[in-house]
Amino acid sequence: SYAGDRLAVLQYLGPLYARTGRPDSAIVAYERYLSATTLGRLNFDAVLLPGVLQRVAGLHEAAGHLTEAAAYYDRFADLWSAADPELRPQADEARRRAEALRSRGVGASGG
């Protein structure tokens, strides 16, 4: 399906843009993936969603978009809050990063 093909392409565009020094384009590609509303997401999300959330959070953080970065770190932490014990430290770290970004962003525009 077209929607599934689009998702397949978006999963490669984000990392490609990031590796080629185009972080703004990477953010757009990741956010398009995250905003896609199709059943095809079920197949992709099982494998890709945690990594996409972490990568887009990191890109926003690097760009100084503290509010957006914190929101994506929170989404990752929420997603993995009930993960297997060996994965929970990553969720805990994402939550700490989100809190730190919110603290830094007090009084800032955040994006």
Side-chain angles (χ1 to χ4, degrees):
S1 76
Y2 171 75
D5 293 344
R6 187 172 149 241
L7 287 174
V9 169
L10 288 173
Q11 74 171 313
Y12 295 110
L13 284 180
L16 177 66
Y17 285 137
R19 280 194 308 271
T20 57
R22 298 175 61 191
D24 291 341
S25 295
I27 288 171
V28 169
Y30 285 131
E31 289 182 342
R32 282 186 180 159
Y33 173 85
L34 292 168
S35 67
T37 54
T38 175
L39 288 176
R41 287 266 318 257
L42 295 174
N43 294 327
F44 288 100
D45 280 357
V47 175
L48 300 176
L49 186 58
V52 168
L53 291 171
Q54 284 186 308
R55 285 189 291 279
V56 76
L59 287 165
H60 273 298
E61 183 177 2
H65 308 154
L66 305 184
T67 302
E68 292 86 348
Y72 284 114
Y73 282 129
D74 279 336
R75 281 182 65 182
F76 174 83
D78 290 346
L79 181 67
W80 277 22
S81 64
D84 291 337
E86 64 270 12
L87 299 176
R88 280 193 211 127
Q90 291 181 51
D92 294 341
E93 175 60 22
R95 189 75 70 201
R96 281 191 294 276
R97 287 182 82 122
E99 289 298 322
L101 291 171
R102 278 191 285 279
S103 295
R104 282 180 37 206
V106 173
S109 67

